[in-house]
Amino acid sequence: MEDVIRKGQERLRNLIPGGMGSFKGLLLIALAAIVIWLLTGFFRVQPNQQAIQLIFGKPYGLPAEQGLHYNLPAPIGSVVVVNVQDLRRTVIGSRGGERNTFNRGVRPTSTENLMLTGDENIVDVDFSVLWKVKPQRVGDFLFNIQNAEGTVKAVAESAMREVIGRTNIEPVLTGARQNIENGVQELMQKTLDQYGAGILIQQVQMQKVDPPTQVIDA
């Protein structure tokens, strides 16, 4: 081991006759540091991801897809990776716990649940939205909206109120759920596209639609 260290020191002295403190030594150290810094710019994108490359905080080029890619390292460049395949679920109105129609038990009231029908009745609606990031719209998703979950929830509640407001209470409580879900999904997608949100609505699912607790008790 001592022989190996000694030979290594001799080779280094032959390479840099003036030692590491000389101009040539400092230049070699600087070049090595630059090479190491440049090598940190490589990044890998997994099959379910896309990446946005930034230069000085500004996106450029198309989203990077699966594979090994290169971008200038920090602080000049950076990379934001987004999962674009997994479904995300946003729940509107549910306060948790199991409940059966006309057998609610103790359950808090929330204004986001109560909606006015077309014939001026009130219904209590729990529903959820399945969504994901639009392929090739990762940049819109990252930079056009600040809070994706909050945006989906607000748009979903607004769309459900509008669709329920055009429907009488009887079909809402019985056989019109599929039409309502389709109408809410279509209206949500249209609104999110206008925002340039980069979000794709996959499905709207209505869990419970009942009269308010006070009406059931009466």
Side-chain angles (χ1 to χ4, degrees):
M1 181 62 68
E2 293 177 354
D3 290 340
V4 171
I5 295 175
R6 180 176 53 77
K7 291 179 180 179
Q9 292 174 341
E10 290 176 355
R11 291 194 185 97
L12 187 61
R13 282 195 295 269
N14 293 332
L15 182 64
I16 310 174
M20 297 300 291
S22 66
F23 174 78
K24 186 176 180 181
L26 294 175
L27 181 61
L28 186 61
I29 293 173
L31 290 175
I34 292 174
V35 170
I36 294 173
W37 175 71
L38 291 173
L39 289 176
T40 62
F42 287 99
F43 65 96
R44 182 177 297 277
V45 179
Q46 300 300 326
N48 63 332
Q49 298 175 335
Q50 288 188 7
I52 295 295
Q53 301 177 71
L54 309 175
I55 296 295
F56 295 115
K58 183 177 180 180
Y60 77 96
L62 296 175
E65 299 186 350
Q66 177 183 0
L68 186 65
H69 302 271
Y70 183 83
N71 189 34
L72 287 176
I76 297 176
S78 59
V79 177
V80 183
V81 179
V82 178
N83 189 314
V84 296
Q85 291 187 5
D86 289 355
L87 281 179
R88 308 168 193 228
R89 182 184 183 93
T90 299
V91 178
I92 297 91
S94 176
R95 268 101 47 208
E98 294 294 331
R99 64 189 179 96
N100 298 320
T101 303
F102 302 132
N103 185 22
R104 293 169 179 262
V106 178
R107 178 183 163 211
T109 301
S110 173
T111 55
E112 73 181 22
N113 290 73
L114 301 179
M115 302 185 183
L116 190 65
T117 64
D119 53 357
E120 298 185 353
N121 286 288
I122 297 176
V123 290
D124 190 352
V125 183
D126 290 351
F127 68 104
S128 61
V129 178
L130 300 178
W131 58 279
K132 65 180 184 178
V133 180
K134 271 189 174 183
Q136 304 302 322
R137 288 290 182 268
V138 179
D140 293 344
F141 175 77
L142 289 173
F143 304 113
N144 288 353
I145 54 176
Q146 291 184 342
N147 181 353
E149 181 78 16
T151 299
V152 170
K153 186 172 184 178
V155 171
E157 184 180 343
S158 176
M160 181 63 75
R161 289 187 183 280
E162 181 172 337
V163 174
I164 292 290
R166 299 196 301 256
T167 311
N168 292 337
I169 189 171
E170 184 176 351
V172 170
L173 295 176
T174 55
R177 293 191 180 186
Q178 184 66 51
N179 293 335
I180 294 173
E181 290 171 346
N182 293 338
V184 172
Q185 179 178 350
E186 181 180 348
L187 184 56
M188 284 189 67
Q189 191 64 67
K190 180 180 178 181
T191 303
L192 291 168
D193 288 345
Q194 289 174 348
Y195 291 165
I199 291 174
L200 179 64
I201 303 299
Q202 293 289 97
Q203 189 177 6
V204 175
Q205 298 174 336
M206 299 177 71
Q207 273 80 48
K208 294 291 183 180
V209 183
D210 297 328
T213 306
Q214 297 86 342
V215 174
I216 295 175
D217 293 341

